[in-house]
Amino acid sequence: MRVGVLVSGRGSNLRALIDACAAADFPAEIALVLSNKPDAAALEHAASAGLPTAVVDHRDFPGDKQRFEEAMDEALRGAGVQLVCLAGFMRLLSPWFVDAWHDRMINIHPSLLPSFKGLDTHKRAIEAGVRFHGCTVHYVRLEMDEGPIVAQAAVPVLPDDDADSLAGRVLEAEHRLYPLAIRLIGEGRTRIRDGRVLVDGPLPAPPPVTNPAC
Ligand code: GAR
């Protein structure tokens, strides 16, 4: 499966995907890393891994989001991309683009959706007093941070956490979760039915956990 990774910044999830793709049995390869920011660190990670990169800078299309997205669409199709993976891509996508990649575009979000959509998820999780937080990989739909959930990872919120320490714990989980979700899709094991993702084949059941532990 040819994957296009859309990035805007640091690119740690991209690095996790690059590492995952190095395994001989991983069912996906990165066909293009596409950034809307020319100075994104993610582009350097891609270049050092020898991956094709492209920049479509939203600032080159002032007031014309349609043309910005058409340029991204063209780059993705030109690279033969079959699945678009948003990995810290920080622009909201228009309905036409989301429709054009319906069921072929996924996102990773740093919360256990549907809780804490949007920004500042770690700070809001601490303020809400939840005992577990985490991350979600989901298919992209018209509404922000909505869509059928492929996989989630939970991490505990600890008494001394601040937003940074919690973000670090969630990010480690993201780096395991995104490759897992892409593996399931690449192996053809996922089907979307009635807004839910069904996974074929055996899946180990994780143990139940409490926080505080008992
Ligand atoms: C990740 O935590 C990702 O979940 C988040 O941006 C970060 C990107 O980090 N995405 C969103 O908040 C999208 N709503 P990275 O550039 O190091 O992968």
Side-chain angles (χ1 to χ4, degrees):
M1 181 174 64
R2 291 175 68 77
V3 167
V5 186
L6 262 58
V7 295
S8 298
R10 177 178 56 184
S12 70
N13 276 290
L14 170 68
R15 288 174 85 170
L17 294 182
I18 291 171
D19 289 348
C21 288
D25 69 341
F26 197 74
E29 61 178 322
I30 299 175
L32 183 67
V33 175
L34 177 55
S35 175
N36 67 307
K37 290 196 155 189
D39 57 351
L43 287 170
E44 287 163 34
H45 301 316
S48 348
L51 294 172
T53 61
V55 175
V56 179
D57 190 338
H58 59 281
R59 291 168 304 188
D60 292 340
F61 304 89
D64 198 345
K65 195 169 178 183
Q66 173 86 18
R67 280 221 305 124
F68 162 63
E69 292 176 339
E70 280 170 1
M72 290 202 300
D73 188 67
E74 203 173 299
L76 291 165
R77 289 179 197 283
V81 165
Q82 296 165 293
L83 180 74
V84 174
C85 298
L86 308 182
F89 181 73
M90 302 312 268
R91 307 295 297 178
L92 284 178
L93 295 164
S94 307
W96 82 265
F97 188 93
V98 173
D99 279 346
W101 292 92
H102 188 82
D103 288 354
R104 294 185 301 142
M105 178 158 58
I106 58 175
N107 178 46
I108 187 157
H109 179 75
S111 79
L112 292 172
L113 290 173
S115 293
F116 309 120
K117 297 172 179 171
L119 298 173
D120 296 325
T121 58
H122 311 300
K123 179 169 174 282
R124 289 190 287 138
I126 290 172
E127 284 168 0
V130 293
R131 293 294 190 256
F132 286 99
H133 185 43
C135 49
T136 303
V137 176
H138 64 97
Y139 282 96
V140 175
R141 292 294 185 259
L142 296 183
E143 297 300 320
M144 186 184 66
D145 300 328
E146 277 195 12
I149 290 171
V150 182
Q152 292 187 305
V155 302
V157 180
L158 301 178
D160 293 336
D161 270 332
D162 58 17
D164 285 345
S165 62
L166 183 55
R169 196 172 305 122
V170 171
L171 197 62
E172 278 179 29
E174 291 186 42
H175 297 164
R176 291 190 301 273
L177 190 71
Y178 219 174
L180 166 68
I182 293 170
R183 175 182 284 280
L184 294 175
I185 295 169
E187 288 175 345
R189 292 173 61 190
T190 56
R191 286 174 290 137
I192 303 173
R193 189 180 296 161
D194 299 331
R196 297 177 63 196
V197 178
L198 308 179
V199 180
D200 296 326
L203 280 181
V209 284
T210 65
N211 179 22
C214 62

